[in-house]
């Protein structure tokens, strides 16, 4: 629906409410910015004038039937919600509105653990992977990788890790002499496990921060989860002390720079590689998402997660 909208036109159809944010006009009158998703998975922001959050009758994840006016602002389509009502259950299928990973969560989960069993030769690392993935399996299947920017979809956590594992295997073949493959693959598989506590993800894949996530962040939480697994597995001993320290360093440094949220900067070849693989997958996801609906021969809007770059889609 939103893809086909034309400036100065009107459209109508069913949309799911993703989020509701209250704003004020220059004269202090309230209005809402509704992030809406249609059944083609296209998301837009629409204004609802003269309305406060308290007055608006619907919560996020509610499907409504809306009528919209389409204007223009800064060269882009600008949507205003004119009329709306709650959709009847017979008028929509909820799965049509859910952004989800393109692969089965079960298959991605099994692939990751299969690669771990084949590639991670260190018994302690392998035990930690299985402990965490089995303990949090139910969450892992649906968890988003982020509230926004990249892999912020249902099963996005798995999808992000699934693709990074494939990149790690490929790059490991090129730079094998400089890398401890068991450490690198374990770091890839576990680098974002802190997000299982940093974020809460609902059944549609929409995520928001937990108090623990806001106060601590997933890098620190992930290191704590490694310690919890080690205590459970009786791995907190002199034999494993150094290797656990190296693994926690990969988690603590995988954002690359402290201004990007890293606890420390990468100081191991495996930590450098993990950071680069993470960045590649996050940025390529944003490229794919931005160009998916873009017309050939045109530029996208500026993309925050890509340093405000405008991507070009060739003819």
């Amino acid at each position: 629906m939103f893809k086909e909208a034309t400036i100065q036109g009107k459209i109508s159809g069913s949309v799911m409410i993703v989020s509701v944010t209250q704003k004020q006009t220059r004269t202090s009158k309230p209005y809402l910015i509704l992030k809406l998703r249609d059944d083609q998975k296209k998301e837009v922001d629409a204004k609802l004038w003269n309305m406060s959050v308290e007055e608006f009758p619907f919560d996020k994840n509610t499907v409504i039937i809306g009528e919209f006016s389409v204007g223009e602002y800064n060269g882009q389509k600008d949507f205003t919600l004119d009329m709306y009502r709650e959709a009847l259950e017979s008028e929509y299928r909820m799965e049509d509105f859910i952004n989800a990973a393109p692969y089965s969560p079960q298959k991605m989960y099994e692939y990751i653990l299969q690669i771990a069993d084949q590639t991670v030769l260190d018994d302690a690392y392998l035990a930690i992977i299985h402990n965490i993935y089995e303990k949090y399996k139910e969450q892992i299947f649906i968890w988003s990788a982020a509230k926004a920017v990249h892999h912020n979809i249902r099963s996005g956590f798995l999808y992000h890790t699934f693709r990074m594992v494939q990149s790690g295997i490929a790059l490991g073949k090129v730079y094998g002499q400089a890398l401890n493959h068991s450490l690198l693959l374990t770091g890839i598989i576990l680098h974002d496990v802190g997000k299982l506590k940093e974020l809460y993800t609902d059944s549609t894949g929409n995520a928001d921060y937990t108090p623990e996530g806001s106060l601590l962040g997933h890098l620190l939480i992930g290191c704590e989860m490694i310690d919890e697994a080690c205590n459970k597995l009786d791995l907190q001993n002199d034999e494993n002390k150094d290797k656990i320290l190296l693994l926690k360093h990969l988690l603590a440094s995988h954002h690359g720079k402290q201004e990007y949220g890293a606890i420390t900067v990468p100081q191991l070849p495996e930590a450098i590689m993990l950071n680069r693989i993470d960045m590649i997958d996050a940025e390529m996801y944003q490229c794919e998402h931005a160009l998916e609906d873009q017309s050939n021969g045109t530029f996208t809007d500026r993309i925050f997660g890509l340093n405000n770059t405008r991507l070009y889609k060739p003819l």
Side-chain angles (χ1 to χ4, degrees):
M1 180 180 74
F2 290 128
K3 291 180 185 178
E4 291 79 27
T6 57
I7 293 172
Q8 303 305 323
K10 289 184 176 293
I11 56 171
S12 62
S14 55
V15 294
M16 187 179 78
I17 300 169
V18 178
S19 65
V20 181
T21 305
Q22 184 169 317
K23 301 281 189 178
Q24 280 191 337
T25 66
R26 293 179 180 177
T27 57
S28 299
K29 292 183 178 180
Y31 71 97
L32 300 181
I33 300 293
L34 305 176
K35 184 173 288 295
L36 304 171
R37 183 185 302 147
D38 66 17
D39 58 7
Q40 295 175 302
K41 313 296 194 303
K42 174 69 174 176
E43 289 187 5
V44 303
D45 289 337
K47 297 181 181 68
L48 179 58
W49 298 108
N50 300 312
M51 180 68 66
S52 67
V53 169
E54 292 76 17
E55 295 171 310
F56 189 61
F58 303 122
D59 296 323
K60 67 178 184 178
N61 298 335
T62 302
V63 177
I64 62 173
I65 305 294
E67 296 183 9
F68 301 85
S69 299
V70 187
E72 183 178 8
Y73 183 73
N74 287 338
Q76 302 295 321
K77 296 174 186 176
D78 186 53
F79 295 89
T80 299
L81 179 59
D82 299 320
M83 298 180 64
Y84 57 91
R85 65 171 175 84
E86 186 170 7
L88 303 175
E89 289 187 6
S90 60
E91 294 179 304
Y92 69 93
R93 298 189 313 159
M94 180 57 80
E95 56 264 35
D96 291 339
F97 298 93
I98 295 175
N99 278 325
Y103 302 109
S104 157
Q106 181 70 39
K107 290 184 178 179
M108 290 190 289
Y109 180 88
E110 290 175 353
Y111 171 84
I112 291 167
L113 292 185
Q114 181 183 41
I115 292 298
D117 291 339
Q118 294 172 351
T119 308
V120 177
L121 303 180
D122 185 279
D123 290 340
Y125 287 159
L126 189 59
I128 294 169
I129 291 171
H130 277 277
N131 175 271
I132 292 176
Y133 266 62
E134 290 164 13
K135 180 178 180 179
Y136 296 97
K137 182 177 180 179
E138 185 175 342
Q139 286 177 249
I140 286 172
F141 268 46
I142 65 169
W143 235 239
S144 173
K147 180 179 179 179
V149 182
H150 76 91
H151 299 87
N152 50 322
I153 55 176
R154 189 170 67 183
S155 306
F157 171 92
L158 263 180
Y159 185 40
H160 180 43
T161 306
F162 171 74
R163 300 210 301 184
M164 285 181 62
V165 166
Q166 295 175 75
S167 296
I169 292 170
L171 288 169
K173 293 177 181 178
V174 179
Y175 302 104
Q177 292 183 339
L179 298 169
N180 177 330
H181 288 264
S182 292
L183 175 59
L184 175 60
L185 263 295
T186 304
I188 289 172
I189 292 169
L190 298 177
H191 80 286
D192 269 349
V193 292
K195 290 185 176 181
L196 300 172
K197 295 185 178 183
E198 179 187 48
L199 299 171
Y200 169 75
T201 301
D202 65 26
S203 60
T204 71
N206 292 326
D208 208 343
Y209 289 98
T210 64
E212 183 179 7
S214 294
L215 293 171
L216 299 180
H218 70 276
L219 282 73
L220 177 57
I221 295 171
C223 290
E224 292 177 341
M225 291 169 71
I226 298 296
D227 283 336
E228 290 173 6
C230 289
N231 289 332
K232 180 71 174 179
L233 298 165
D234 294 324
L235 296 176
Q236 298 283 28
N237 51 52
D238 290 341
E239 179 184 356
N240 296 304
K241 180 180 178 181
D242 288 344
K243 67 178 69 172
I244 300 306
L245 176 63
L246 299 183
L247 176 59
K248 288 164 66 176
H249 172 69
L250 263 64
L251 270 67
S253 65
H254 80 263
H255 280 189
K257 298 180 180 180
Q258 290 176 309
E259 56 263 41
Y260 295 160
I263 297 173
T264 186
V265 297
Q267 297 164 62
L268 295 168
E270 296 81 7
I272 293 171
M273 183 65 77
L274 172 59
N275 167 251
R276 301 303 191 269
I277 292 172
D278 189 27
M279 289 295 295
I280 288 170
D281 193 53
E283 293 186 347
M284 288 309 301
Y285 179 89
Q286 293 173 77
C287 291
E288 293 162 355
H289 183 69
L291 293 172
E292 183 179 14
D293 300 325
Q294 195 69 27
S295 300
N296 292 64
T298 63
F299 285 90
T300 66
D301 294 337
R302 296 190 182 278
I303 303 168
F304 172 76
L306 298 177
N307 297 316
N308 287 318
T309 299
R310 297 171 66 227
L311 294 177
Y312 179 69
K313 187 170 184 177
L315 293 169

